[in-house]
Amino acid sequence: MMFRKSVYLFSPLMDLKIDRSTEDFLLRLYYPYDGVGLKRRPKYHGLTKTWQCSCTYSKIIEQLRQHPGGSVDLLKDNNTGIATITINNPEKKNAISGKMMVDLEECVSELENWVDGKGLILTGKDKTFCSGGDLGTVRNILSNGDDMCKFMHHVTTRLYNLPLISVALVDGYALGGGAELITACDFRLITPRAKIGFIHVKLNIGTGFGGTTRLVQQIGRIKTLQVLSSGMVMNTDLAKKIGLVDEILDNNENTLEQGKTWLLEHCKGSVTTTRVIKQMVLAGEKLDTDASLLEERKLFKSVWGNKLHAAAVSKKSKHS
Ligand SMILES: CC[C@H](C(=O)O)C(=O)SCCNC(=O)CCNC(=O)[C@H](O)C(C)(C)COP(=O)(O)OP(=O)(O)OC[C@H]1O[C@@H](n2cnc3c(N)ncnc32)[C@H](O)[C@@H]1OP(=O)(O)O
């Protein structure tokens, strides 16, 4: 209720750029004791992020929606805590239209507020992952790619920062923006049919969805240069050799099930523990050492001595 009120009050500022300090200011304004009552903060933080997105990006969202085709679909399984995002535009090899970029943002918003989740699979419909930007959309926004780029940086960064262990499950092609999307997940699993290409050079462009920044962090500077400057389309062996891929799945029909099984093996803890682990790792990657240690301590404190911890230490366990 309080949140709705804040939207109403600040609605005249809709097109004002709202940055992190404004967001923190709003949180302080409406939750002045938030620093003490930390338990409430993540929930409102998520809502604020959603609101922040619709304020800052409202014009871009409106423009992107004008380029229809396909959908990006979210399925949340509360029993396993695993969600699946499916890129769905099979007539165009799952090319991502303007409307689908907005769909993806909505999926990410929903996942930011999904407190029961611990894992995420990002996949494509009908045995292919994603052939990149829909060339129909691309042709129509040639005069202003910067807005799309800004929006997709925002969306893929939020996808990467979700407190869920995420896996890109690649069957068939992941090209251009499709290849960039796989870098926004923690892990990459591929089938023997997968072909991954940062083919942007062939279109005389660089990456537009944040792919280079993340790729340098993931496979290093030189390998990133090799991949981007050649526009090579990698088969499974090459993708594995270059360090882009964590596992090659069997060549059978049940790719999604295989992906889920693999992911559950990497989400062994409870929902809380898994989310804490992911957040600790993000802090280790993004913050300087002192700030990361502080965050690690805060997260540690949030699980130490809880019911599950107490139960685990009360039994005689052996981890051989
Ligand atoms: C910042 C990101 C950047 C951007 O936004 O500009 C990019 O993502 S750049 C990358 C853009 N992607 C491409 O250039 C890929 C182009 N497509 C292909 O190379 C092939 O279609 C391939 C290899 C994905 C699949 O080849 P295959 O022989 O198996 O199938 P078809 O070529 O017959 O494709 C079937 C059908 O899909 C249409 N299609 C495929 N990709 C796209 C796309 N990216 N945008 C729009 N449409 C696409 C293709 O034209 C065919 O349509 P049809 O009407 O049947 O001719």
Side-chain angles (χ1 to χ4, degrees), residues 91-93 95 101 131-136 138 148 173 175-178 180 199-200 203 205-209:
E91 295 76 25
K92 294 186 174 183
K93 299 284 174 186
M101 294 175 198
S131 61
D134 181 334
L135 295 170
V138 169
M148 174 194 76
Y173 286 105
L175 298 181
E180 293 190 65
I199 55 156
H200 307 71
L203 295 164
I205 53 170
T207 53
F209 295 177

